[in-house]
PDB file of all heavy atoms in Angstrom:
ATOM      1  N   LEU A 105     105.210 110.483 100.648  1.00  0.00           N
ATOM      2  CA  LEU A 105     106.458 109.868 100.973  1.00  0.00           C
ATOM      3  C   LEU A 105     107.615 110.479 100.014  1.00  0.00           C
ATOM      4  O   LEU A 105     108.780 110.552 100.449  1.00  0.00           O
ATOM      5  CB  LEU A 105     106.469 108.330 100.801  1.00  0.00           C
ATOM      6  CG  LEU A 105     105.701 107.616 101.904  1.00  0.00           C
ATOM      7  CD1 LEU A 105     105.653 106.197 101.541  1.00  0.00           C
ATOM      8  CD2 LEU A 105     106.062 107.990 103.210  1.00  0.00           C
ATOM      9  N   GLU A 106     107.154 110.774  98.718  1.00  0.00           N
ATOM     10  CA  GLU A 106     108.236 111.436  97.786  1.00  0.00           C
ATOM     11  C   GLU A 106     108.839 112.731  98.465  1.00  0.00           C
ATOM     12  O   GLU A 106     110.023 113.011  98.218  1.00  0.00           O
ATOM     13  CB  GLU A 106     107.551 111.866  96.400  1.00  0.00           C
ATOM     14  CG  GLU A 106     107.149 110.672  95.734  1.00  0.00           C
ATOM     15  CD  GLU A 106     105.748 110.147  95.932  1.00  0.00           C
ATOM     16  OE1 GLU A 106     105.076 110.493  96.990  1.00  0.00           O
ATOM     17  OE2 GLU A 106     105.322 109.608  95.049  1.00  0.00           O
ATOM     18  N   ARG A 107     108.062 113.476  99.197  1.00  0.00           N
ATOM     19  CA  ARG A 107     108.595 114.716  99.892  1.00  0.00           C
ATOM     20  C   ARG A 107     109.740 114.328 100.850  1.00  0.00           C
ATOM     21  O   ARG A 107     110.704 114.988 100.967  1.00  0.00           O
ATOM     22  CB  ARG A 107     107.470 115.420 100.622  1.00  0.00           C
ATOM     23  CG  ARG A 107     106.913 116.514  99.893  1.00  0.00           C
ATOM     24  CD  ARG A 107     105.929 117.286 100.809  1.00  0.00           C
ATOM     25  NE  ARG A 107     105.434 116.344 101.806  1.00  0.00           N
ATOM     26  CZ  ARG A 107     104.422 116.659 102.551  1.00  0.00           C
ATOM     27  NH1 ARG A 107     103.912 117.869 102.603  1.00  0.00           N
ATOM     28  NH2 ARG A 107     103.949 115.855 103.426  1.00  0.00           N
ATOM     29  N   LEU A 108     109.593 113.288 101.459  1.00  0.00           N
ATOM     30  CA  LEU A 108     110.609 112.810 102.480  1.00  0.00           C
ATOM     31  C   LEU A 108     111.879 112.332 101.859  1.00  0.00           C
ATOM     32  O   LEU A 108     112.889 112.471 102.410  1.00  0.00           O
ATOM     33  CB  LEU A 108     110.034 111.608 103.457  1.00  0.00           C
ATOM     34  CG  LEU A 108     108.841 111.894 104.247  1.00  0.00           C
ATOM     35  CD1 LEU A 108     108.288 110.661 104.829  1.00  0.00           C
ATOM     36  CD2 LEU A 108     109.171 112.982 105.273  1.00  0.00           C
ATOM     37  N   TRP A 109     111.724 111.799 100.657  1.00  0.00           N
ATOM     38  CA  TRP A 109     112.960 111.111 100.193  1.00  0.00           C
ATOM     39  C   TRP A 109     113.380 111.854  98.801  1.00  0.00           C
ATOM     40  O   TRP A 109     114.212 111.441  98.174  1.00  0.00           O
ATOM     41  CB  TRP A 109     112.650 109.681  99.829  1.00  0.00           C
ATOM     42  CG  TRP A 109     112.006 108.934 101.032  1.00  0.00           C
ATOM     43  CD1 TRP A 109     110.870 108.403 101.184  1.00  0.00           C
ATOM     44  CD2 TRP A 109     112.799 108.702 102.189  1.00  0.00           C
ATOM     45  NE1 TRP A 109     110.764 107.970 102.391  1.00  0.00           N
ATOM     46  CE2 TRP A 109     112.050 108.063 103.033  1.00  0.00           C
ATOM     47  CE3 TRP A 109     114.183 108.921 102.482  1.00  0.00           C
ATOM     48  CZ2 TRP A 109     112.379 107.562 104.349  1.00  0.00           C
ATOM     49  CZ3 TRP A 109     114.639 108.573 103.743  1.00  0.00           C
ATOM     50  CH2 TRP A 109     113.589 107.918 104.689  1.00  0.00           C
ATOM     51  N   LYS A 110     112.788 113.074  98.545  1.00  0.00           N
ATOM     52  CA  LYS A 110     113.162 113.751  97.351  1.00  0.00           C
ATOM     53  C   LYS A 110     114.763 114.151  97.140  1.00  0.00           C
ATOM     54  O   LYS A 110     115.061 114.298  95.978  1.00  0.00           O
ATOM     55  CB  LYS A 110     112.187 114.924  97.202  1.00  0.00           C
ATOM     56  CG  LYS A 110     112.714 116.159  98.155  1.00  0.00           C
ATOM     57  CD  LYS A 110     111.852 117.307  98.047  1.00  0.00           C
ATOM     58  CE  LYS A 110     112.325 118.336  99.086  1.00  0.00           C
ATOM     59  NZ  LYS A 110     111.357 119.100  99.650  1.00  0.00           N
ATOM     60  N   ASP A 111     115.385 114.168  98.268  1.00  0.00           N
ATOM     61  CA  ASP A 111     116.801 114.482  98.167  1.00  0.00           C
ATOM     62  C   ASP A 111     117.623 113.241  97.854  1.00  0.00           C
ATOM     63  O   ASP A 111     118.842 113.327  97.624  1.00  0.00           O
ATOM     64  CB  ASP A 111     117.318 115.114  99.458  1.00  0.00           C
ATOM     65  CG  ASP A 111     116.689 116.487  99.669  1.00  0.00           C
ATOM     66  OD1 ASP A 111     116.411 117.131  98.606  1.00  0.00           O
ATOM     67  OD2 ASP A 111     116.575 116.926 100.736  1.00  0.00           O
ATOM     68  N   CYS A 112     116.969 112.112  97.819  1.00  0.00           N
ATOM     69  CA  CYS A 112     117.667 110.779  97.593  1.00  0.00           C
ATOM     70  C   CYS A 112     117.688 110.557  96.103  1.00  0.00           C
ATOM     71  O   CYS A 112     116.681 110.981  95.361  1.00  0.00           O
ATOM     72  CB  CYS A 112     117.044 109.649  98.346  1.00  0.00           C
ATOM     73  SG  CYS A 112     117.172 109.667 100.151  1.00  0.00           S
ATOM     74  N   PRO A 113     118.685 109.897  95.498  1.00  0.00           N
ATOM     75  CA  PRO A 113     118.714 109.737  94.102  1.00  0.00           C
ATOM     76  C   PRO A 113     117.592 108.678  93.716  1.00  0.00           C
ATOM     77  O   PRO A 113     117.442 107.711  94.462  1.00  0.00           O
ATOM     78  CB  PRO A 113     120.085 109.074  93.926  1.00  0.00           C
ATOM     79  CG  PRO A 113     120.749 109.072  95.062  1.00  0.00           C
ATOM     80  CD  PRO A 113     119.931 109.507  96.277  1.00  0.00           C
ATOM     81  N   GLU A 114     117.009 108.989  92.524  1.00  0.00           N
ATOM     82  CA  GLU A 114     116.080 108.093  92.013  1.00  0.00           C
ATOM     83  C   GLU A 114     116.726 106.966  91.350  1.00  0.00           C
ATOM     84  O   GLU A 114     117.842 107.115  90.843  1.00  0.00           O
ATOM     85  CB  GLU A 114     115.153 108.774  90.972  1.00  0.00           C
ATOM     86  CG  GLU A 114     113.946 109.354  91.384  1.00  0.00           C
ATOM     87  CD  GLU A 114     113.065 109.826  90.277  1.00  0.00           C
ATOM     88  OE1 GLU A 114     112.753 109.039  89.324  1.00  0.00           O
ATOM     89  OE2 GLU A 114     112.670 111.097  90.268  1.00  0.00           O
ATOM     90  N   ILE A 115     116.076 105.776  91.349  1.00  0.00           N
ATOM     91  CA  ILE A 115     116.670 104.561  90.799  1.00  0.00           C
ATOM     92  C   ILE A 115     116.067 104.391  89.507  1.00  0.00           C
ATOM     93  O   ILE A 115     114.775 104.444  89.380  1.00  0.00           O
ATOM     94  CB  ILE A 115     116.540 103.299  91.668  1.00  0.00           C
ATOM     95  CG1 ILE A 115     117.313 103.439  92.954  1.00  0.00           C
ATOM     96  CG2 ILE A 115     116.926 102.008  90.984  1.00  0.00           C
ATOM     97  CD1 ILE A 115     117.049 102.413  94.031  1.00  0.00           C
ATOM     98  N   ALA A 116     116.761 104.174  88.416  1.00  0.00           N
ATOM     99  CA  ALA A 116     116.227 103.970  87.092  1.00  0.00           C
ATOM    100  C   ALA A 116     115.387 102.675  87.089  1.00  0.00           C
ATOM    101  O   ALA A 116     115.734 101.668  87.548  1.00  0.00           O
ATOM    102  CB  ALA A 116     117.307 103.882  86.036  1.00  0.00           C
ATOM    103  N   LEU A 117     114.133 102.767  86.569  1.00  0.00           N
ATOM    104  CA  LEU A 117     113.229 101.689  86.541  1.00  0.00           C
ATOM    105  C   LEU A 117     112.904 101.257  85.021  1.00  0.00           C
ATOM    106  O   LEU A 117     113.298 101.868  84.135  1.00  0.00           O
ATOM    107  CB  LEU A 117     111.964 102.089  87.303  1.00  0.00           C
ATOM    108  CG  LEU A 117     112.032 102.451  88.717  1.00  0.00           C
ATOM    109  CD1 LEU A 117     110.722 102.960  89.239  1.00  0.00           C
ATOM    110  CD2 LEU A 117     112.505 101.228  89.503  1.00  0.00           C
ATOM    111  N   PRO A 118     112.351  99.985  84.900  1.00  0.00           N
ATOM    112  CA  PRO A 118     111.952  99.516  83.647  1.00  0.00           C
ATOM    113  C   PRO A 118     110.888 100.531  82.961  1.00  0.00           C
ATOM    114  O   PRO A 118     110.191 101.266  83.641  1.00  0.00           O
ATOM    115  CB  PRO A 118     111.288  98.171  83.894  1.00  0.00           C
ATOM    116  CG  PRO A 118     111.689  97.823  85.270  1.00  0.00           C
ATOM    117  CD  PRO A 118     112.046  99.075  85.960  1.00  0.00           C
ATOM    118  N   GLU A 119     111.025 100.514  81.710  1.00  0.00           N
ATOM    119  CA  GLU A 119     110.145 101.484  80.865  1.00  0.00           C
ATOM    120  C   GLU A 119     108.638 101.389  81.343  1.00  0.00           C
ATOM    121  O   GLU A 119     107.969 102.452  81.418  1.00  0.00           O
ATOM    122  CB  GLU A 119     110.288 101.207  79.355  1.00  0.00           C
ATOM    123  CG  GLU A 119     109.548 102.241  78.582  1.00  0.00           C
ATOM    124  CD  GLU A 119     109.842 102.083  76.981  1.00  0.00           C
ATOM    125  OE1 GLU A 119     110.916 101.421  76.723  1.00  0.00           O
ATOM    126  OE2 GLU A 119     109.021 102.448  76.256  1.00  0.00           O
TER     127      GLU A 119
END
Side-chain angles (χ1 to χ4, degrees):
L105 295 179
E106 290 91 341
R107 263 188 329 190
L108 296 172
W109 308 110
K110 69 180 183 219
D111 293 334
C112 295
E114 267 188 55
I115 296 173
L117 297 175
E119 186 177 336

